Every structure is written in C-alpha cells, then in structure tokens.
Amino acid sequence: MNQIIDIKKSARKFAVPILKDSGLTFICSYIKNHNIKRILEIGTAVGYSAINFAQLSDDIFVSSIENDIERYQEAVRNVSDMELSERITLYLGDALTLELSGEFDLIFIDAAKAQYIKFFEKYKNNLSSDGVIIADNIYFHGMVQDLSLTHNYSTKKLVKKIRKFIDFLKNNQEFQTDFYDEGDGISVSHRITSTKQDIKIE
C-alpha cells in the first residue's frame, strides 16, 4: 500500500472513521490559506488525515496521537509507505495523559467525542498565539440537530455530550468559534486576543 487512495479505501472497507471528503478539503484549504506549518492531531486512526495534511507542503510537520494499538501500527506502516516518517510523528497513548511540549499552529480534534471538552482544555496550552483549534463531527451524522434519528441509548448520551461541547464553545470567553457544514460539521476556534488599545487605564 503506497497510495493515499488505497488508505482511504481500506479505512472505509473496515469502517475506520476518517474525514469526509468535504471536511478534508475544508481543513486542507485552511492549512494552505493560513500558512499552517505545525499541526497536532488528536485521533490518528490509520493516518489518513495526517498524511493528507503533510502532503500539502514539504515544510508542514504533523504530530498525531492514537490510543488504539492496531490503528496506530497501521498508521505507522502507512506513514512509512508514504515516506513521511520524518515529518509525521505518531504517538501511541491516551491523549488526556500524554504530555507534549511545543506549540502548534493548528490542533485538530477527531477522537473520542465524549472527551472533546477535555481535549480542548488540555491542548489549548500547546496552541500558538495565533493558532486555531478545529474539531470534526460536530453534527454527528445529523443527530446533534435531530436526536430522534437514533433510538440507541449510548448514542443519545454521546450526542448530548457533543451538544455540551458546542455550548462550551459558544459560551467560551477565551475563544471565538465559527461552525461550518462541511463534512460532518466542523468547528474552528480562535483565541480572543486583547490589545493594549482595548484596555483603558484610569
């Protein structure tokens, strides 16, 4: 396997969650348009999105965290096959306990949906001053807007947690968030910065 299309086909064949085409296009365009160079991804899966990001430019570096050992191992193989091991660093472990140093221009959250708020709060400390946090699956197959689409108790609990994350973003005093319909729903959060001109000294 040495082509990104093969990775995509295999992921879909074995029901591995990867970015929808429109969501991937949206994020890749954002990366190019905003000169993003350092990316942290929470939720590697098999490396599909990380590889797509790194392929945008030779000076883009991606760090990605995955807690499923089989997916991690497949991601390692895929990244190696694509000859991107020097620019994509993969970590095996729980993103909530792993400690990473350094700053990132973009932090992409695409892991356990019930932990989105915790991921956001933990890794905002690794965000560069003008960086952005992007989260996928904000609509969760339309169920966030219409909970009646599922009758599964566990799924309903998960959807309610995603709604809680959306409320968290909307009411966040530190970040301004925009929501987009691309893919399965995407949020883009920028840190709100105050300048000296905004502060009046009496």
Side-chain angles (χ1 to χ4, degrees):
M1 180 181 295
N2 57 9
Q3 297 295 325
I4 192 67
I5 189 67
D6 295 327
I7 298 173
K8 177 181 176 181
K9 288 180 178 178
S10 176
R12 290 187 171 170
K13 177 180 179 180
F14 294 103
V16 176
I18 59 174
L19 270 170
K20 290 187 175 181
D21 290 346
S22 59
L24 178 63
T25 299
F26 175 85
I27 298 175
C28 286
S29 296
Y30 189 96
I31 291 170
K32 289 187 291 185
N33 294 337
H34 293 81
N35 199 34
I36 300 295
K37 300 301 180 187
R38 299 161 298 170
I39 300 170
L40 171 61
E41 176 183 52
I42 303 170
T44 312
V46 294
Y48 176 70
S49 49
I51 290 170
N52 273 281
F53 299 159
Q55 285 184 323
L56 293 173
S57 177
D58 290 340
D59 58 355
I60 290 176
F61 292 83
V62 183
S63 297
S64 189
I65 307 169
E66 176 58 48
N67 69 348
D68 183 286
I69 189 167
E70 291 184 2
R71 290 181 180 176
Y72 167 81
Q73 291 172 338
E74 186 171 351
V76 170
R77 290 192 294 270
N78 289 336
V79 168
S80 177
D81 288 345
M82 298 297 291
E83 300 182 348
L84 288 168
S85 298
E86 291 186 359
R87 292 195 292 111
I88 298 179
T89 303
L90 302 176
Y91 297 90
L92 174 63
D94 185 345
L96 291 178
T97 58
L98 188 69
E99 294 299 329
L100 290 184
S101 58
E103 291 188 340
F104 300 89
D105 305 314
L106 188 156
I107 297 174
F108 176 47
I109 303 176
D110 191 20
K113 315 309 170 195
Q115 304 299 327
Y116 269 23
I117 293 178
K118 291 182 179 179
F119 291 144
F120 192 104
E121 290 283 69
K122 176 179 173 63
Y123 287 99
K124 70 180 183 181
N125 298 317
N126 293 91
L127 191 66
S128 61
S129 58
D130 57 348
V132 63
I133 300 177
I134 295 180
D136 188 34
N137 302 121
I138 294 300
Y139 294 162
F140 202 68
H141 316 297
M143 297 177 196
V144 169
Q145 298 98 321
D146 185 359
L147 194 56
S148 69
L149 292 175
T150 180
H151 298 290
N152 182 279
Y153 176 74
S154 296
T155 303
K156 284 187 174 182
K157 283 183 64 178
L158 178 57
V159 170
K160 289 177 180 178
K161 288 183 178 179
I162 297 175
R163 286 179 172 177
K164 187 176 180 180
F165 174 64
I166 293 172
D167 289 339
F168 162 81
L169 294 178
K170 289 181 176 179
N171 296 306
N172 198 298
Q173 299 299 306
E174 189 179 358
F175 286 82
Q176 170 66 45
T177 299
D178 296 309
F179 299 90
Y180 298 89
D181 293 336
E182 279 76 6
D184 193 25
I186 291 175
S187 63
V188 179
S189 304
H190 303 263
R191 184 177 275 113
I192 300 171
T193 57
S194 59
T195 63
K196 292 181 178 179
Q197 288 80 7
D198 295 326
I199 304 172
K200 293 182 178 181
I201 301 176
E202 301 295 332

